[in-house]
């Protein structure tokens, strides 16, 4: 497959059945790379944005599509059809089909009073401290695998501070939970939410998400929450997001 970055408008129709803000970022020329079988009249293509790979078109190119993500065992591959999903699994026995969930912002905007109430819970969290990600916290997030996705899709802190933002809770200076911009496009951001394993089930993600969403409202940005599992979907709905649809993706076993 060949680089398709110069023929974005030709591959765009192949992804008509896929919805994701990461693709908005790609087509805005901000984030990711794409490859296709033929730059003149493409019938199959893949868009790679960080750990996410969006595959569409002719299933006979399945093996070629996987070449762009097979080295990343954290890859999330989103096919445009169940037929393509099965073809990709047939090409690599280490892949498994999983369910993920799209959400969308509430039709009548977020309930900012409710978000502020959620945010106020930080006062009952003892020594935990809520902070916007600065350069020091950027470096700390990048240093650990569980938190690197808060900032890793930006070139450096200057890029992050210019186009992204995030909030984290720290315990004696160590990041324990956070919500940040995984990526961005001209009108919005994709949300990354994560909590250190030993701090989960304490409501920390809701606090950082509330802070992040209030900042989105202040900046006039549309936030996107792609839920990896039902737990993530539940948190999103508590924040005001509305379930949009269930979709299939592929992950490595």
């Amino acid at each position: 497959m060949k680089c398709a970055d110069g023929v974005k408008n030709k591959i765009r129709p192949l992804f008509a059945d896929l919805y994701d803000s990461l693709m908005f970022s790609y087509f805005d020329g901000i984030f990711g790379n794409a490859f296709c079988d033929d730059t003149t009249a493409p019938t199959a293509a893949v868009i790679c944005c960080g750990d996410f790979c969006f595959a569409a078109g002719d299933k006979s190119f399945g093996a070629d599509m996987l070449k762009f993500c097979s080295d990343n065992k954290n890859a999330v591959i989103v096919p445009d059809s169940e037929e393509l999903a099965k073809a990709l699994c047939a090409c690599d026995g280490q892949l498994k089909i999983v369910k993920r969930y799209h959400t969308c912002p509430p039709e009548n905007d977020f309930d900012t009073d409710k978000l502020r109430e959620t945010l106020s819970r930080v006062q009952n969290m003892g020594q935990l401290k809520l902070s916007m990600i600065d350069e020091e916290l950027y470096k700390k997030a990048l240093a650990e695998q569980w938190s690197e996705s808060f900032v890793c899709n930006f070139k450096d802190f200057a890029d992050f501070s210019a186009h992204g933002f995030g909030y984290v809770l720290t315990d004696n200076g160590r990041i324990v939970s956070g919500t940040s911009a995984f990526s961005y496009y001209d009108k919005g951001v994709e949300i990354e939410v994560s909590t250190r394993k030993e701090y989960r089930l304490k409501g920390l993600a809701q606090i950082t998400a509330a802070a992040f969403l209030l900042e989105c409202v202040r900046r006039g940005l549309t936030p996107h929450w792609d839920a990896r599992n039902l737990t993530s979907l539940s948190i999103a709905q508590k924040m005001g997001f509305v379930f949009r649809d269930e979709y299939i993706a592929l992950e490595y076993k």
Side-chain angles (χ1 to χ4, degrees), residues 6-75:
V7 291
K8 289 180 181 178
N9 288 334
K10 290 185 178 180
I11 66 169
R12 190 189 292 267
L14 294 174
F15 295 92
D17 292 333
L18 291 176
Y19 169 87
D20 199 285
S21 75
L22 292 176
M23 290 197 299
F24 301 164
S25 296
Y26 172 73
F27 285 113
D28 276 355
I30 295 169
F31 182 40
N33 299 101
F35 305 88
C36 64
D37 62 317
D38 186 338
T39 55
T40 302
T43 62
V46 57
I47 296 174
C48 302
C49 297
D51 288 339
F52 284 78
C53 295
F54 302 92
D58 189 343
K59 66 179 184 179
S60 67
F61 288 93
D64 293 308
M65 294 176 179
L66 291 178
K67 290 178 181 178
F68 301 102
C69 49
S70 59
D71 289 338
N72 180 6
K73 296 309 176 184
N74 294 318

Side-chain angles (χ1 to χ4, degrees), residues 24-25 28 30 184-189 220-221:
F24 301 164
S25 296
D28 276 355
I30 295 169
Y184 72 98
Y185 65 105
D186 64 339
K187 297 179 181 178
V189 289
L221 296 172

Side-chain angles (χ1 to χ4, degrees), residues 2-246:
K2 308 169 185 177
C3 179
D5 294 339
V7 291
K8 289 180 181 178
N9 288 334
K10 290 185 178 180
I11 66 169
R12 190 189 292 267
L14 294 174
F15 295 92
D17 292 333
L18 291 176
Y19 169 87
D20 199 285
S21 75
L22 292 176
M23 290 197 299
F24 301 164
S25 296
Y26 172 73
F27 285 113
D28 276 355
I30 295 169
F31 182 40
N33 299 101
F35 305 88
C36 64
D37 62 317
D38 186 338
T39 55
T40 302
T43 62
V46 57
I47 296 174
C48 302
C49 297
D51 288 339
F52 284 78
C53 295
F54 302 92
D58 189 343
K59 66 179 184 179
S60 67
F61 288 93
D64 293 308
M65 294 176 179
L66 291 178
K67 290 178 181 178
F68 301 102
C69 49
S70 59
D71 289 338
N72 180 6
K73 296 309 176 184
N74 294 318
V76 178
I77 304 165
V78 184
D80 70 333
S81 66
E82 186 172 353
E83 183 181 29
L84 179 55
K86 292 178 179 178
L88 292 171
C89 286
C91 292
D92 190 334
Q94 292 302 306
L95 288 172
K96 63 179 180 180
I97 295 177
V98 298
K99 293 179 180 179
R100 295 179 67 101
Y101 309 91
H102 285 132
T103 68
C104 55
E107 185 176 351
N108 297 316
D109 299 326
F110 288 96
D111 185 339
T112 54
D113 288 337
K114 186 175 181 180
L115 290 175
R116 290 190 186 96
E117 188 280 325
T118 299
L119 181 58
S120 70
R121 297 176 197 170
V122 72
Q123 299 170 14
N124 303 317
M125 291 295 171
Q127 64 187 13
L128 297 188
K129 179 182 178 182
L130 179 69
S131 304
M132 181 176 265
I133 296 176
D134 58 14
E135 188 165 11
E136 179 183 359
L137 290 169
Y138 171 92
K139 292 176 181 177
K140 287 184 177 181
L142 203 56
E144 296 191 71
Q145 185 175 1
W146 79 270
S147 60
E148 65 179 1
S149 291
F150 291 152
V151 298
C152 69
N153 291 323
F154 296 84
K155 296 176 182 178
D156 50 31
F157 178 70
D159 185 28
F160 177 77
S161 62
H163 301 111
F165 59 93
Y167 288 86
V168 294
L169 282 166
T170 57
D171 187 351
N172 288 319
R174 184 175 70 153
I175 297 175
V176 298
S177 185
T179 301
S180 188
F182 182 79
S183 63
Y184 72 98
Y185 65 105
D186 64 339
K187 297 179 181 178
V189 289
E190 181 70 32
I191 296 176
E192 174 70 12
V193 183
S194 190
T195 299
R196 190 182 293 272
K197 188 174 182 179
E198 61 268 33
Y199 285 82
R200 292 174 185 169
L201 303 178
K202 300 178 184 294
L204 304 188
Q206 293 182 45
I207 293 172
T208 60
F212 185 89
L213 292 173
L214 285 168
E215 184 65 13
C216 284
V217 171
R218 189 185 74 80
R219 298 188 184 200
L221 296 172
T222 300
H224 297 263
W225 189 308
D226 177 72
R228 179 180 182 179
N229 50 42
L230 291 173
T231 298
S232 178
L233 176 61
S234 176
I235 297 173
Q237 290 174 317
K238 289 176 181 177
M239 294 294 99
F241 286 88
V242 178
F243 172 76
R244 177 187 171 107
D245 58 40
E246 175 184 292

